[in-house]
Every structure is written in structure tokens, then in C-alpha cells.
Amino acid sequence: MTKPDPTAQQLTAHALLIGDRINTAGFEGQVLSSAPLAVQVGSNGLAVLFRYGVAVFIGLSVAEEAEFLERLSARTFGKITPPEEEWAKIQVAKEAEEPIPVGGPILVREFSLERLLVVSDALAKSVVLGRDEREVTNVFDTIEPFARELATFGKTSRNRTDLLKLMGNALLVQHRLSGRVAVSEKPDVLWDRPDLERLYARLEDEYELSERAETLNRKLAVIADTATTLADIVDTKRSLRLEIIVVFLIAFEIVIAFYEIYARNRH
């Protein structure tokens, strides 16, 4: 497939975050692109796979999607159930430009493979950001009882393990956002097709990719600072307990020493 059905005027794109990673090496099928991996499905369908766990289906039926996902099952690691998903309509633009109406379909000049790869890249990043935003919100919901308890009682009853889990969740989201997904990086297809820069810029603006990534990074920084502060509080409490135990042991040794002296004097 170099292009979908030429008579079609609108296609449906379905982005699915199905796992933490998809192994795209040695994939069997009619490969149309290697970075990202794009495979023809049926006579007019397209599946675009991203290593960070996203599959974008364009022009596929429900049955074709299900069959392809079954093929991906053995190649998917860290499976996400239910998968995160996002839908979009792609439509041939009647005007020369390729505008993206707010809340409307994505308009492209033609259904070329390169344009569909650019659209797939934006949708894949958007669906990953959606999951990260939800996870960060969950972490904030976890932090709130800590902060409220600290503000009310001046101390926290939570243990260090809970705080380390909190910091671990924040680090995982940060790693996925900056390490694997690379939201700020442009799709590889733009190296060969710089004329599609404007289309990607419009998509980036429509899905607010940069703004959402920046907001996530700020929230992650707040989470890390809060968790570090709470961990310091727990360490302080532990140090105080250790100091009390040491004082108690010293006092106990002194009592034993005095008792031994007293016992010897009696004899």
C-alpha cells in the first residue's frame, strides 16, 4: 500500500497504547516504512507501530484491528489493560492548505504514506501523554493525604516504603516521557519531507503536545520535591528513634555497671 483507497475522502485513525514496549524487529508483512514501522493491512489499511508501545491503525475495520493486535501480542511487553486509546478522522482538504479545525477532522492534501506517518506520530504521542497525565494525577491524589496530614498534625504516619513507591512512580512517568517517547522530537519522515513541517506543527499545536509535556515535567518536579521532603522527615524521625535507643542502651549499661559495683560492695 502506497496510499489508501483513492476514492475515499475520510479515514478513521485509532491510536492504542497497548504496552510499555513493542518489539518491531523482523516483523512479517508488507513493510512500507521502517522508522516508524508501517505495515499494510488488507487492501487499504495501514498499521503504524511505535517501539514505546503504541499502535496506530488507519482505515482498518474492528475485525482487522483485533486480528492485528493478536499478532502483536507476543511482541508487546508490559501490556496495558485496558489500553489507552484516541480516535481521529483524517479527511482530504478541499483547499490548498492543510488546516486542522478545532474539534474537527485532520485535513490533509492527500492520503500519502508520509502524511499518514506524520499524523500517526502526533496521535501516538498524544495517547501516551494521556496515560502519563492520568498517572501523574493519581500520584498527586496519593500525595494529598501526606501533605494534609503534615499540615494538620505537623508529622506523618507514613513509612519510607510508601514514599519510595511514590518517587518510583514519578520516575517511571518521567522516564517514559523524556527517555522513550521523546515528545519534543520531530518524526523521522520530516528529514526526507521538510515540506510536511507545517502539517506537523499544526498537529503539535492541535494536540498541545509541547504544552502538555511541559506541564507534566513541572508536575513531576513538584512530586519529586514533595517526596524528597517527606522522605527527609521520615529519615529525621528514624534518626531520632535511633538516638533515643542509643541513649536508652547507654543508660541501661550505666545501671548494670552500678548494680555490679553495688553487688560487689555487698559481698
Side-chain angles (χ1 to χ4, degrees):
M1 166 188 153
T2 55
K3 59 177 65 178
D5 184 355
T7 63
Q9 293 298 307
Q10 189 178 81
L11 294 172
T12 299
H14 186 199
L16 285 165
L17 176 60
I18 59 176
D20 292 329
R21 185 169 65 88
I22 296 176
N23 178 15
T24 59
F27 197 91
E28 296 181 358
Q30 189 173 344
V31 177
L32 307 177
S33 168
S34 57
L37 178 65
V39 183
Q40 179 177 344
V41 181
S43 57
N44 296 305
L46 178 68
V48 186
L49 307 180
F50 297 85
R51 291 187 178 91
Y52 49 80
V54 178
V56 181
F57 301 121
I58 300 177
L60 270 67
S61 66
V62 174
E64 287 173 329
E65 283 191 17
E67 183 180 353
F68 197 89
L69 286 172
E70 185 64 29
R71 291 176 59 190
L72 286 180
S73 181
R75 293 174 168 268
T76 306
F77 303 92
K79 294 181 181 179
I80 298 171
T81 306
E84 190 81 20
E85 62 181 346
E86 189 157 342
W87 296 83
K89 294 291 185 181
I90 310 172
Q91 186 173 305
V92 174
K94 296 180 180 179
E95 53 268 24
E97 292 294 324
E98 296 177 304
I100 302 174
V102 177
I106 299 170
L107 300 181
V108 294
R109 195 170 302 169
E110 60 181 356
F111 289 143
S112 64
L113 174 62
E114 293 79 9
R115 282 178 168 81
L116 295 180
L117 290 179
V118 170
V119 172
S120 298
D121 184 271
L123 286 173
K125 290 173 180 175
S126 180
V127 76
V128 171
L129 284 170
R131 182 199 179 198
D132 290 341
E133 287 164 346
R134 183 157 35 257
E135 288 191 352
V136 166
T137 299
N138 291 337
V139 174
F140 266 101
D141 291 341
T142 306
I143 284 179
E144 185 178 359
F146 284 81
R148 189 178 300 279
E149 186 179 28
L150 190 60
T152 304
F153 303 105
K155 60 182 180 179
T156 177
S157 60
R158 313 288 176 153
N159 58 41
R160 185 174 177 81
T161 301
D162 293 336
L163 297 174
L164 289 176
K165 288 180 179 179
L166 181 66
M167 295 178 69
N169 287 333
L171 289 173
L172 282 174
V173 175
Q174 195 168 35
H175 169 69
R176 182 165 52 251
L177 182 65
S178 59
R180 288 186 294 163
V181 183
V183 173
S184 60
E185 294 184 7
K186 295 181 179 180
D188 292 340
V189 67
L190 296 184
W191 288 99
D192 299 323
R193 293 290 306 274
D195 57 303
L196 298 179
E197 288 262 7
R198 295 180 67 182
L199 172 61
Y200 181 73
R202 292 189 180 102
L203 287 165
E204 189 177 36
D205 183 62
E206 169 65 18
Y207 288 99
E208 300 178 332
L209 300 181
S210 298
E211 293 84 352
R212 291 165 69 187
E214 185 178 346
T215 300
L216 274 174
N217 280 324
R218 286 199 301 268
K219 289 183 176 180
L220 288 169
V222 171
I223 290 171
D225 290 343
T226 304
T228 301
T229 301
L230 292 172
D232 289 342
I233 292 172
V234 172
D235 285 340
T236 302
K237 289 172 61 179
R238 176 179 292 182
S239 298
L240 180 60
R241 282 197 297 267
L242 289 174
E243 290 175 2
I244 292 173
I245 292 172
V246 169
V247 170
F248 175 79
L249 290 174
I250 293 173
F252 182 73
E253 289 182 358
I254 292 173
V255 170
I256 294 297
F258 275 115
Y259 178 77
E260 290 177 349
I261 293 172
Y262 172 74
R264 283 197 301 268
N265 288 337
R266 286 190 62 184
H267 291 292

